[in-house]
Structures are given as C-alpha cells and as structure tokens.
Amino acid sequence: MPDRTNMDAFSTLMQHFNLEASVYNNSRLSGDWNVHKLGNGRCGFHMITHGCCHLSVGDEINTTLEYGDLVIFTAEVEHQLYACPQVPASDTGLLCANVNFSHVGSKMILNALPKVFVVRSESNHQWVEAIQSMLLSENTQTSFGTDVILNRLSELVFIYALRQELEAKSEQIGLLALYKHQGINQVLTEVHNTPEASWTVESMASFAAMSRTRFANLFKQLSGWTPMEYLTWWRMQLAWSKLQAGHKVYQVAQSSGYRSEAAFSRAFSRHFKVSAQDVKRQIKSELA
C-alpha cells in the first residue's frame, strides 16, 4: 500500500486552493435542441450523462460527445452544444457545473492548462463510471441534501479530470509538469510539507538524488521557473491561506521560512502587489 502520511505535491496544491463546484444545470434535452453559450471566463465543466451531443468551440474543437465524456473549461469560452445530427430522436443528459477556487494562486494552475479540453469516457472509465453512477442515482432522489451531494461529486469529477490531463499531456502543461516527474515531485512534496525549512537549490537537488546543475536545468526546462522561484511561490500561497485563516503576520512569516517579519512582508508585497497587513484588514472587514 502507498504511504499516505504526507500528501503528494498535487494533493496539497488542490487542498490549499480549496475548490468548490456548483451544479447549475442537470437536465435531459430532446428534439432538435441547441445551446449557444457566449462564455463567461469562469472555470467549470459539462458532463454527458445520457446519450450524445455535438460540441463546437470556434475553430479549435468540433466533435461528438458520448456518454461519460467531459468538457473542461479553465476559462469558459464561447461554444455551442447541440443534438447529434446522426441520432436526432435521442435524448441527451447534460450536467453542467461552475468551479470556483477561493485562493488567488489557482490562476497560476488554471493558466497552465488549455482553456478548454475534452476528457473521453473510454480513457477514464475506472473513475467516471463510479462517480456517474452516484451522480445518476442521486439525481433520481428527492431527499434532502441532494444539491450538496451533487456539488461534492462534481468537485471529484473536476479533480479527476485535472489529474488525467496532467498524466496524459504533462509535456504541454509547464508548471504542472513538475508534479509528473517522479524525482521532482518527491522534492516538491517535501517542500510543500516543510516550507519553513532552509531550502536551497543544493538541498532540493540532494533530496532528488541529482546534481545541482542537473536539477536546476531540469526544473527550468519543465516549468520555466527556477527552484527558488517555485519555493517562494509556494510559501506565498500558504501565507495567503494562513492570513485568511486569521493568523498573525509574524506567525505566518515564521511558518513560511522567513527569519523576520520585515523580510516576509517585503516578499509578500512583491508577490501579491498588496501588503500582508492590508490582506488582514480586508479579511477582518469581510468578517465584521
């Protein structure tokens, strides 16, 4: 059995970014139907829960979607869904959800992915069948809690889809490719779990069993970032979460690996273009 004492780097990333899904459409469509969406730039997905339909996204995608197929939008663009021309009399089940991240750092991950991509059912049957079974079962219920359960299942659908895209096309994803590389992922898992440690490029390379030069070059080649740029980025994501949770600035500085509150505050302001104290004040005003 794998050791789950420490979550892997991708898991901690998703945990801190705290996604929430909200189903806004779960219906059966019949006849010569057509849905034209202008695109709102939001993150979300469509899932075919029965039958088939056709998807058109400008000049990028023009394809038929079958039962179990997913269309993921990291930033929804104008698109069209309509009845399958070859099966005009069939019904189509369509579940649509918006996905929101409460953390500002999610933009870095979403921007590293295509704005729209399709996840086919034949490549994800091991997990999509189980989740779809629960979705369809819950969809027939009239009991209390149905909306919440559908939303939570939709969150699982989205995370599974992101993981599958990462596993299938890591060479095109940039920053996320770091989590696919076994050696670097091991280092980042340790970095995520101990951000307060005195990390250097040398210590990261040693943990990955690589030379400093090989590690730094590979890291840059995969992501476009240096290891220290990633370390700073991750520490800032944790810092934002802890400030949101009500921690004091000096406590956040220490837990983020900074020797002084002043050094941390300068790094935070450079990264987010807003001071840590301003974030604290904003959170207090929102809770008041």
Side-chain angles (χ1 to χ4, degrees):
M1 294 291 291
D3 180 9
R4 298 300 187 197
T5 303
N6 289 329
M7 289 187 291
D8 64 89
F10 183 72
S11 294
T12 52
L13 193 74
M14 299 308 295
Q15 181 188 55
H16 282 284
F17 288 169
N18 192 24
L19 72 88
E20 292 184 352
S22 176
V23 174
Y24 65 87
N25 176 69
N26 189 14
S27 60
R28 283 285 186 99
L29 304 169
S30 59
D32 188 22
W33 63 272
N34 187 311
V35 175
H36 182 198
K37 299 200 68 177
L38 295 178
N40 55 21
R42 299 183 65 179
C43 184
F45 68 86
H46 303 316
M47 183 179 204
I48 311 305
T49 58
H50 180 81
C52 67
C53 71
H54 203 79
L55 168 69
S56 176
V57 186
D59 296 328
E60 297 179 57
I61 300 175
N62 189 19
T63 187
T64 297
L65 302 174
E66 305 285 352
Y67 169 78
D69 288 349
L70 284 161
V71 186
I72 304 293
F73 291 95
T74 56
E76 187 180 289
V77 294
E78 183 176 0
H79 62 284
Q80 193 172 10
L81 296 164
Y82 52 91
C84 288
Q86 67 271 30
V87 199
S90 66
D91 291 345
T92 301
L94 188 63
L95 184 144
C96 308
N98 288 322
V99 177
N100 297 309
F101 292 84
S102 65
H103 199 296
V104 293
S106 62
K107 293 179 182 178
M108 184 64 68
I109 301 304
L110 295 177
N111 290 342
L113 291 159
K115 288 185 178 180
V116 56
F117 58 92
V118 175
V119 179
R120 296 292 182 181
S121 61
E122 62 265 22
S123 62
N124 62 26
H125 66 278
Q126 287 185 330
W127 58 266
V128 79
E129 286 184 4
I131 296 178
Q132 277 195 332
S133 176
M134 290 188 285
L135 278 168
L136 294 172
S137 175
E138 192 61 35
N139 195 35
T140 62
Q141 303 296 318
T142 56
S143 182
F144 54 85
T146 292
D147 290 344
V148 174
I149 293 172
L150 288 175
N151 289 342
R152 293 298 174 267
L153 290 172
S154 296
E155 291 167 11
L156 288 176
V157 167
F158 189 81
I159 293 171
Y160 269 116
L162 288 189
R163 186 175 74 175
Q164 184 153 318
E165 182 72 2
L166 169 61
E167 291 175 341
K169 300 177 181 178
S170 62
E171 72 281 356
Q172 302 176 13
I173 295 177
L175 179 62
L176 292 180
L178 295 170
Y179 307 129
K180 181 68 180 297
H181 188 281
Q182 184 176 359
I184 291 180
N185 182 58
Q186 289 176 346
V187 176
L188 296 186
T189 297
E190 192 66 19
V191 167
H192 282 198
N193 288 315
T194 57
E196 73 285 355
S198 300
W199 288 103
T200 63
V201 177
E202 288 81 359
S203 63
M204 292 185 200
S206 177
F207 197 91
M210 299 182 194
S211 69
R212 183 190 187 284
T213 301
R214 179 168 177 255
F215 176 78
N217 289 343
L218 180 59
F219 203 102
K220 183 79 171 180
Q221 178 185 345
L222 289 173
S223 66
W225 289 19
T226 68
M228 298 310 289
E229 285 173 338
Y230 183 95
L231 175 64
T232 299
W233 176 79
W234 177 246
R235 284 172 168 173
M236 292 299 102
Q237 310 320 303
L238 293 180
W240 184 280
S241 295
K242 289 178 179 179
L243 289 171
Q244 282 189 318
H247 293 224
K248 297 183 183 299
V249 175
Y250 79 87
Q251 294 172 327
V252 177
Q254 291 177 352
S255 64
S256 300
Y258 288 84
R259 294 182 178 179
S260 71
E261 183 177 335
F264 164 76
S265 296
R266 287 193 296 271
F268 190 93
S269 297
R270 281 196 303 270
H271 189 83
F272 290 112
K273 310 304 179 188
V274 63
S275 74
Q277 291 292 353
D278 285 342
V279 172
K280 288 279 293 180
R281 282 191 286 269
Q282 179 183 350
I283 293 167
K284 284 183 179 180
S285 66
E286 290 174 353
L287 294 175

